[in-house]
């Protein structure tokens, strides 16, 4: 289920307001009833995107990611567009990494008609999607399966990625900090993303705009460690971060 336009605006305003808003502010700003705002806030809270507090909401303190099922449906159209944009960049015969998460999964889904690639991944859903294209050779890492995230993790997975030097490394993040910090939810996730960053000729970050200012506890890298950031919406803040990092920003 996609977020409504009003819910997207609520999240954007919440971040701009320093992480906390009252229900009355929201009711006045959107000219809707208290019941309507309460329904929006309850839905956002159920998805783990906000935390309900007395009289309003605040940004949650995340030390773990949202459920995989929730991430699969949040901003799905945006993730599909990101996937299609990245798929169009990949020339026939290229070698690529595909990292964990639902946005790299949408990159894989967009490769259904690609003329030919070699893909190395620990993303089980990406590997299953790529099975539908016989022109793509897919190499799947070993490692420990995370049922909650439908991927392979651990030292075996990281070591496997480090055996390659690929043309394009495509990866997502748990959160993007105000200074361009790329954040993940566990050291294992961070190690895998670092392996992609360090063993790719061109590094492509894929993340929808909801990741901006989203908290995650492990610092993996910075925007300057990437070459291209593909997202669904360019805000002035993101444009400034990309310029400071010296990377290309693409919608």
């Amino acid at each position: 289920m996609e977020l409504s336009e009003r819910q997207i605006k609520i999240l954007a305003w919440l971040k701009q307001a320093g992480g906390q808003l009252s229900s009355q502010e929201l009711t006045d700003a959107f000219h809707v009833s208290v019941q309507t705002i309460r329904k929006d806030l309850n839905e956002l809270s159920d998805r783990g995107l906000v935390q309900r507090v007395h009289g309003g909401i605040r940004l949650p303190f995340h030390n773990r990611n949202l459920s995989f099922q929730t991430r699969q449906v949040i901003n799905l159209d945006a993730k599909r567009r990101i996937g299609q944009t990245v798929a169009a960049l990949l020339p026939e015969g290229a070698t690529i990494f595909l990292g964990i998460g639902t946005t790299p999964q949408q990159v894989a889904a967009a490769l259904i008609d690609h003329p030919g690639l070699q893909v190395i991944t620990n993303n089980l859903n990406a590997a299953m999607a790529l099975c539908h294209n016989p022109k793509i050779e897919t190499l799947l890492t070993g490692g420990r399966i995370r049922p909650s995230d439908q991927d392979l993790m651990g030292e075996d997975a990281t070591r496997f990625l480090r055996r390659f030097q690929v043309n394009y490394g495509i990866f997502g993040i748990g959160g993007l900090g105000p200074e361009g910090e790329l954040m993940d939810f566990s050291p294992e996730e961070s190690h895998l993303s670092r392996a992609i960053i360090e063993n790719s000729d061109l590094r492509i970050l894929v993340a929808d705009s909801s990741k901006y200012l989203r908290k995650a506890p492990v610092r993996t890298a910075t925007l300057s460690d990437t070459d291209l950031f593909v997202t669904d919406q360019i805000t002035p803040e993101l444009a400034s971060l990309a310029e400071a990092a010296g990377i290309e920003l693409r919608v």
Side-chain angles (χ1 to χ4, degrees), residues 6-14 26 30 40 44 57:
R6 185 170 57 245
Q7 289 169 340
I8 292 171
K9 289 180 178 178
I10 289 172
L11 288 175
W13 188 15
L14 181 61
L26 294 167
F30 291 103
D40 282 333
L44 291 172
I57 53 171

Side-chain angles (χ1 to χ4, degrees), residues 93-112:
T95 55
I96 72 170
F97 286 134
L98 269 182
I100 61 174
T102 55
T103 307
Q105 178 185 339
Q106 291 303 321
V107 176
L111 293 172
I112 187 64

Side-chain angles (χ1 to χ4, degrees), residues 4-5 13 33-34 48 56 76 83 89 101 133 144 163 172 178 193 227:
S4 69
E5 182 179 351
W13 188 15
S33 67
V34 173
L76 180 57
L89 298 174
N133 186 340
R144 173 179 54 83
R163 292 171 60 186
S193 293
D227 300 293

